[in-house]
Amino acid sequence: MVQVSLLLLVVVLAKSTLAVYPLVDLGYSKYLGTAQTNGVTSWWGMRFAAPPLGNLRFRAPEDPVYNGTVQTANTHGPLCLATGGLPNDTTTSEDCLFLDVYAPSNATVKSKLPVFLWIQGGGFNANSNANYRGDGMILASGMDIVVVNFNYRVSLYGFLASEEVVANGNTNVGLLDQRFAVEWFGGDPGHVTIGGCSAGGASITFQLTAYGGRNDGLFHAAAAESASVFTILTVAQSQYQYDALVARIGCSNATDSLACLRAVPATTLQANNYYIPYPGLGPNASSPLFMYDAVIDGDFIQDFSQRQFAEGKFVQVPVIYGDDTNGGTDFAPKNTTDYAQMDQFLIDNYPTMTPDQITAFNYMYPEDMEFFNGTGAFWRTTSNAYGELAYLCPGMFVSTSYAAYSTFGSWNYRYNVEDPTQMAEGYGVPHTVETAAIWGPAYVSGTPPASYWPNGTNADIVPVLQGYWTSFIRSYSPNTFRYPGSPVWQEWVPSMQNRLMIMTNATAMETVDINEQARCAYITANSVSWLQ
């Protein structure tokens, strides 16, 4: 496998001073980056793997092919094809394995800068946090880190699983893409932090437990923001997805249905790439929020991650896990009006939940009487249940497992920064909103909260978050280089249930509410049964 060191990216003589030079030779390709006026040099859209086309569809990534021409690296690579994406969307492509690198322009051959390699989210069905720029974090670090982000295959291209794929392909290839990107980039090979949000946070979990928790020395710390936990199936349980796709494409009568799937153009796959409900749920079932997901294949994923954490089968490195106060509001149906509709939503996404477990959820999550712009009476109730089930409680469980088994630091947080617009619309502090503060509002895609920009009511939280995160990347502790005046972030102690509550001008350690502790205890105790 090709492995690229940061040294290859920075060693050039410029005015008798060793520093970053925009033209880099990676051995297989030469890329011309951009030296920006803010002191950061960037390279956009560099290939880190071969185009996963034709016979490489549904297979592990391979080394990039040789290209002798100098390529201008000032355009982001296309995003990977998403579930439900339009066949003619020119912003996406099956040929999507590209990454971006950001480095201080004054870095030298001796710098050996810490590397932050970030994994975007999207529920494993889309690249939803693409093209975030590392400038803001590098500036906040005092020009002391390198930032890398990248695309990885999602949807059926990254997570199709069946006996046919096992026999003549690879499962979990989206996760293999991620690992390939980590292997590709060296920087200081002894100082790499992986991070990610949502499914990117879940990816951190899967990378920590990969191959039964085998430590290949690829990374040395991990920060998971709003890490998701969805239903995870075995290969056999995933067969229905493959069979349904084969039928839609018209490959059912082919001698080799997988070869048939590899032969059809991506536009044909995309025209037939949509969500379907889990089997056996009856006529009222709807499709899950995220159908394609990582699968237990006995290789990369050998068991439920919750069980592996409970048994200490994970890579021991310093970790940050945490979530937002209202992590479920982006996902619960706004028109949910009663417990019956809430229960159906939970079953649609966690189909093995038992009637007793559903009854317990109805008891644990009473009706939330807040109404917003005509939303149903149970929107916030359902949001509360889903947010804790899918995000908040699993993160605290990981923190507890690290505290129990690991000699490295483990930190947990609750992000509670209230944007006036999001609060007025009922979203509260929604899923992954903390990324806008960690990266800086000018450097994320989409529309970050207006209050995060300079002179906004939450502008002061940006340097605080960037201080904690860049300190963790640089020193494996969020406290070493934290922003002046911000509180010490204490390590998670299970008996104390202590986490950092992050709020503009009010960030402080807190003890998890006793009722939340009880709900999370129930969710943790039952999670393996309803995730399979």
Side-chain angles (χ1 to χ4, degrees):
M1 121 127 253
V2 173
Q3 187 170 37
V4 176
S5 169
L6 175 61
L7 302 184
L8 290 175
L9 295 175
V10 302
V11 180
V12 171
L13 191 62
K15 295 184 179 179
S16 302
T17 302
L18 283 171
V20 164
Y21 185 67
L23 181 61
V24 297
D25 186 348
L26 304 180
Y28 61 87
S29 290
K30 296 178 181 179
Y31 288 98
L32 181 63
T34 303
Q36 302 168 169
T37 57
N38 62 4
V40 175
T41 297
S42 61
W43 296 265
W44 293 356
M46 295 193 293
R47 286 192 185 276
F48 69 91
L53 309 175
N55 194 47
L56 294 185
R57 185 181 282 171
F58 314 127
R59 293 192 191 277
E62 295 190 359
D63 287 343
V65 296
Y66 178 78
N67 185 333
T69 63
V70 174
Q71 301 172 72
T72 302
N74 62 359
T75 303
H76 299 294
L79 307 184
C80 298
L81 297 171
T83 308
L86 297 175
N88 59 352
D89 183 355
T90 58
T91 66
T92 64
S93 172
E94 190 176 8
D95 181 9
C96 62
L97 298 182
F98 298 91
L99 54 70
D100 300 339
V101 177
Y102 298 83
S105 298
N106 63 0
T108 74
V109 63
K110 297 181 180 180
S111 295
K112 288 191 174 182
L113 297 178
V115 175
F116 181 57
L117 192 143
W118 193 70
I119 306 172
Q120 60 181 303
F124 294 124
N125 283 262
N127 291 157
S128 292
N129 310 105
N131 305 330
Y132 282 18
R133 293 178 52 180
D135 310 51
M137 296 185 72
I138 291 174
L139 294 169
S141 74
M143 300 300 195
D144 195 39
I145 63 174
V146 172
V147 177
V148 184
N149 59 24
F150 62 95
N151 298 332
Y152 59 94
R153 282 173 286 179
V154 291
S155 185
L156 63 90
Y157 308 90
F159 294 97
L160 189 67
S162 69
E163 60 180 17
E164 293 85 356
V165 173
V166 170
N168 190 20
N170 300 97
T171 51
N172 293 313
V173 297
L175 297 175
L176 297 179
D177 290 344
Q178 297 172 7
R179 206 164 184 89
F180 204 77
V182 178
E183 293 172 345
W184 179 93
F185 197 87
D188 177 355
H191 199 131
V192 175
T193 298
I194 57 174
C197 72
S198 193
S203 298
I204 300 300
T205 296
F206 288 129
Q207 297 296 342
L208 290 169
T209 56
Y211 303 110
R214 186 181 77 201
N215 189 351
D216 293 338
L218 297 178
F219 53 85
H220 313 92
E225 309 158 32
S226 304
S228 55
V229 176
F230 307 135
T231 295
I232 182 168
L233 306 176
T234 64
V235 172
Q237 290 169 331
S238 301
Q239 187 72 40
Y240 81 95
Q241 298 173 354
Y242 179 90
D243 293 343
L245 177 65
V246 165
R248 294 197 299 268
I249 297 297
C251 291
S252 297
N253 295 324
T255 303
D256 185 337
S257 60
L258 186 58
C260 181
L261 286 182
R262 287 193 171 114
V264 301
T267 51
T268 300
L269 284 177
Q270 279 303 94
N272 293 276
N273 184 11
Y274 49 81
Y275 293 101
I276 60 174
Y278 288 109
L281 294 185
N284 295 324
S286 297
S287 301
L289 292 168
F290 308 104
M291 186 178 78
Y292 291 104
D293 198 354
V295 297
I296 298 175
D297 57 6
D299 183 27
F300 192 95
I301 299 180
Q302 299 183 359
D303 200 351
F304 295 100
S305 55
Q306 286 79 2
R307 189 147 52 206
Q308 286 196 218
F309 279 115
E311 297 173 352
K313 297 177 180 178
F314 52 83
V315 178
Q316 295 191 18
V317 293
V319 294
I320 290 174
Y321 268 77
D323 192 29
D324 311 280
T325 298
N326 306 107
T329 50
D330 281 342
F331 306 103
K334 282 190 171 183
N335 61 353
T336 307
T337 58
D338 54 30
Y339 275 122
Q341 292 181 349
M342 169 178 148
D343 298 346
Q344 186 65 56
F345 171 73
L346 294 175
I347 289 292
D348 288 340
N349 287 278
Y350 300 94
T352 60
M353 290 185 76
T354 67
D356 286 347
Q357 290 165 347
I358 288 293
T359 298
F361 264 73
N362 292 173
Y363 173 77
M364 291 191 300
Y365 296 95
E367 181 179 355
D368 189 323
M369 297 304 295
E370 294 185 274
F371 297 87
F372 300 90
N373 298 328
T375 60
F378 276 71
W379 173 44
R380 289 295 295 263
T381 303
T382 307
S383 300
N384 296 339
Y386 183 78
E388 292 190 346
L389 168 59
Y391 302 105
L392 190 143
C393 296
M396 291 198 295
F397 176 64
V398 172
S399 295
T400 294
S401 297
Y402 267 91
Y405 287 102
S406 178
T407 58
F408 296 96
S410 174
W411 293 267
N412 194 279
Y413 71 89
R414 176 172 70 95
Y415 192 71
N416 194 45
V417 175
E418 298 179 348
D419 173 72
T421 300
Q422 291 173 334
M423 296 299 293
E425 293 176 348
Y427 289 99
V429 184
H431 184 57
T432 72
V433 68
E434 71 269 37
T435 59
I438 293 170
W439 290 78
Y443 302 106
V444 297
S445 56
T447 305
S451 63
Y452 285 43
W453 291 87
N455 301 317
T457 56
N458 288 311
D460 289 346
I461 203 61
V462 174
V464 172
L465 260 290
Q466 290 186 326
Y468 285 129
W469 252 256
T470 58
S471 176
F472 184 72
I473 294 164
R474 297 166 68 189
S475 69
Y476 305 145
S477 167
N479 296 307
T480 309
F481 303 107
R482 71 186 185 277
Y483 186 72
S486 56
V488 171
W489 188 346
Q490 300 170 15
E491 293 185 30
W492 174 264
V493 178
S495 61
M496 295 174 59
Q497 295 279 298
N498 58 325
R499 64 188 175 192
L500 187 70
M501 190 278 293
I502 302 167
M503 192 168 183
T504 303
N505 300 322
T507 298
M509 295 300 298
E510 70 172 6
T511 300
V512 178
D513 175 79
I514 191 65
N515 294 317
E516 183 179 299
Q517 290 187 41
R519 294 191 299 270
C520 285
Y522 179 85
I523 287 171
T524 298
N526 289 273
S527 60
V528 170
S529 69
W530 60 53
L531 293 175
Q532 60 184 323

